[in-house]
């Protein structure tokens, strides 16, 4: 058991200033390690996120027979086993807090004739796994889990996996990716259909490693086809800075008067940038400079300056491109003038916590009323700073913790969280980075300020 870390953030006078780099993209980091393990030859990774979630994936790839070595900060090398070459792990694979690691590894194991058991922390053990194990069972793999298919879960992979043809019923890049990973080991063509486009890092990286992937787009709908049993070849991966992490210092800069913050080298894959479009619709001064392509992904430097925000109506179709950003967007809406409505947030209920309920509670603890209407979140405000003064329960959810601490930097009174320890899953040294921008101790352990 890790020690919990009650933490508090308070208003800071001169605002947030500076240029910073945030850690590497979590989605790309997991995939770089997994595809490296499935490739022949070596994969050199730069900018890997060294957060706990990704370190779990690194450990799992080692347990499955790949050689995974840390060469320096963010610099990792993987010597892979080739598609179909993973070996049976000697022990249970513990995926910690990471849904992405657990679900993608189910896909990877489904196509290998080996036995493995997956588990995770109390948050991950509550999360639904049938969304991957149901489709993956059709390739011949067998999964046995707890009630609701939850972790711990055993997997007996298929010796001769069948290619899958699957229409993903919920917008989920994890489900799509799990099916495609199983398809790597199958003879023939795997086909995945999604009604709403979700992040396409798996498709992009499969191509980068030499697989044949065809994507047909029709509006928001996508059909992805993968030819099975390719020889994946190790390839260099440059991980962009995570837009989902950049969101926190950027929103803080928008909310704290006098601020101007630049975050460098942020991934701008269009299936990830819904938050930035939404903030601009709210009247945010948020600009991109130095646009370039690095390692096959568009990146740029993002600058945010304090702005008076107005309420916004975010369509459900945009949700997949900003699914992890709603808690911090809700914080922004708490400082905006007018009504904000975020539509189609059902998937938030099955994140690291029930993020819809946790976001409502975060706001309520700090004097901001919001309503859940069906799957929509509605926040109506008058543009004055949120009152603050609350203690937020983070429910083992890194993004709830960071969103609450961002709120405390701008609200009338400080905001505390019961535990900031889980921030390390995705954003190691978040507190140090934010304090650097604040030019002092704006975020601190709760005991020290009590
Ligand atoms: C992820 C997909 C999303 C996202 C998660 C990372 C990925 O989950 O919330 O943080 O890397 O594929 P869903 O696929 O469940 O929406």
């Amino acid at each position: 058991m890790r020690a919990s870390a009650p933490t508090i953030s308070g208003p800071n006078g001169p605002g947030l200033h500076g240029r910073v780099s945030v850690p590497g993209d979590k989605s790309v980091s997991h995939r770089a390690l997994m595809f490296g393990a499935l490739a022949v030859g070596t994969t050199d990774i730069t900018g890997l996120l060294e957060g706990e979630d990704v370190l779990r994936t690194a450990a799992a790839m080692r347990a499955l027979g790949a050689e995974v070595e840390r060469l320096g900060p963010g610099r990792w090398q993987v010597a892979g086993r080739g598609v179909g070459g993973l070996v049976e792990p000697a022990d249970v694979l513990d995926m910690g807090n990471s849904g992405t690691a657990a679900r993608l590894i189910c896909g990877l194991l489904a196509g290998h004739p080996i036995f493995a058991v997956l588990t995770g922390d109390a948050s991950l053990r509550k999360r639904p796994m049938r969304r991957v194990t149901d489709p993956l069972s059709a390739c011949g793999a067998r999964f046995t889990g707890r009630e609701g298919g939850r972790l711990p879960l055993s997997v007996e992979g298929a010796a001769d996996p069948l290619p899958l043809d699957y229409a993903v019923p919920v917008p989920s890049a994890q489900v799509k990716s799990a099916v495609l990973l199983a398809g790597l080991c199958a003879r023939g063509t795997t086909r995945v259909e999604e009604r709403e486009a979700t992040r396409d890092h798996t498709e992009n990286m499969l191509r980068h490693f030499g697989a044949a992937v065809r994507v047909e787009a029709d509006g928001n709908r996508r059909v992805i086809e993968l030819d099975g049993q390719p020889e994946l070849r190790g390839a260099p991966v440059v991980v962009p800075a995570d837009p989902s992490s950049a969101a926190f210092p950027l929103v803080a800069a928008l909310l704290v008067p006098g601020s101007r913050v630049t975050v460098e080298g942020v991934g701008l894959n269009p299936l990830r940038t819904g938050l930035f479009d939404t903030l601009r619709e709210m009247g945010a001064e948020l600009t991109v400079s130095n646009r370039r392509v690095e390692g096959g992904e568009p990146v740029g430097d993002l600058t945010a300056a304090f702005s008076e925000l107005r309420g916004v109506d975010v369509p459900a179709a945009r949700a997949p491109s900003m699914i992890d950003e709603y808690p911090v967007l809700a914080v922004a809406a708490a400082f905006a003038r007018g009504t904000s409505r975020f539509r189609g947030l059902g998937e938030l209920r099955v994140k690291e916590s029930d993020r819809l309920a946790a976001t409502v509670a975060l706001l309520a603890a700090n004097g901001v009323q919001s309503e859940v209407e069906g799957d929509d979140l509605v926040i109506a405000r008058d543009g004055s700073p949120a009152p603050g003064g609350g203690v937020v329960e983070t429910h083992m959810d890194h993004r709830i913790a960071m969103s609450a601490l961002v709120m405390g930097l701008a609200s009338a009174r400080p905001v505390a969280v019961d535990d900031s320890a889980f921030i390390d899953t995705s954003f190691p040294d978040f507190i140090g980075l934010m304090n650097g921008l604040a030019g002092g101790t704006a975020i601190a352990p709760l005991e020290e300020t009590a």
Side-chain angles (χ1 to χ4, degrees), residues 26-27 31 100 103 131 171-174 199 323-324 351:
K26 184 151 71 71
S27 295
R31 287 161 174 80
T100 308
R103 297 203 179 105
R131 51 178 54 204
S172 169
Q174 293 177 1
R199 66 190 70 194
I323 194 65
D324 293 333
K351 295 297 176 189

Side-chain angles (χ1 to χ4, degrees), residues 24-25 28-37 42-50 54 57-58 61 67-79 205 208-209 234-240:
D25 189 276
V28 175
S29 296
H30 283 299
R31 287 161 174 80
L33 292 167
M34 290 182 200
F35 287 120
T42 55
T43 291
D44 284 297
I45 308 170
T46 50
L48 189 88
L49 165 63
E50 294 176 332
V54 174
T57 291
M61 292 308 107
E67 284 169 37
V68 181
E69 209 187 328
R70 182 176 192 262
L71 305 177
R75 285 179 45 236
W76 289 64
Q77 190 173 68
V78 184
M205 211 179 283
H208 185 57
F209 279 73
V237 178
V238 181
V239 182

Side-chain angles (χ1 to χ4, degrees), residues 192-378:
V192 190
E193 187 181 330
E194 53 183 2
R195 277 178 226 122
E196 294 168 76
T198 63
R199 66 190 70 194
D200 58 359
H201 304 300
T202 297
E203 297 89 308
N204 296 344
M205 211 179 283
L206 277 168
R207 283 204 194 94
H208 185 57
F209 279 73
V213 181
R214 294 170 294 280
V215 180
E216 250 181 61
D218 173 9
N220 238 346
R221 179 175 166 272
R222 297 271 193 287
V223 176
I224 302 122
E225 287 187 344
L226 165 70
D227 292 343
Q229 301 187 341
E231 181 168 294
L232 297 185
R233 288 177 305 276
V237 178
V238 181
V239 182
D242 198 327
S244 300
S245 296
F248 297 104
L250 292 171
V251 169
L254 295 175
L255 301 184
V256 179
S259 301
R260 176 172 292 271
V261 166
T262 299
V263 185
E264 295 172 345
V266 179
L268 294 176
N269 179 315
L271 293 170
R272 295 288 301 281
T273 49
L275 173 75
F276 304 137
D277 299 334
T278 303
L279 290 170
R280 283 191 203 99
E281 287 174 15
M282 296 174 82
E285 188 185 328
L286 177 64
T287 52
V288 185
S289 58
N290 197 12
R291 272 187 197 271
R292 57 215 187 259
V293 175
E294 270 178 11
E297 292 274 350
V299 300
D301 302 339
L302 282 169
T303 300
F306 171 73
S307 306
E308 282 178 14
L309 301 178
R310 50 183 179 269
V312 68
D313 192 322
V314 186
R318 199 182 292 168
S321 70
M322 52 183 297
I323 194 65
D324 293 333
E325 281 66 82
Y326 284 101
V328 78
L329 180 64
V331 168
F335 290 78
R337 180 188 298 275
T339 300
S340 294
R341 180 179 284 270
F342 310 153
R343 297 175 190 270
L345 304 190
E347 277 296 296
L348 289 196
R349 296 193 171 96
V350 291
K351 295 297 176 189
E352 284 82 333
S353 65
D354 174 346
R355 254 185 207 159
L356 195 49
T359 300
V360 169
L362 181 169
L363 297 175
N366 291 291
V368 176
Q369 291 312 307
S370 62
E371 303 294 331
V372 175
E373 295 176 4
D375 285 342
D376 297 355
L377 178 62
V378 183

Side-chain angles (χ1 to χ4, degrees), residues 35 53 110 121 148 189 191 208 309 352 357 372 394 397-398 440-441:
F35 287 120
D53 279 13
D121 69 13
T189 302
R191 185 177 171 281
H208 185 57
L309 301 178
E352 284 82 333
V372 175
T394 51
D397 188 330
H398 53 133
T441 308

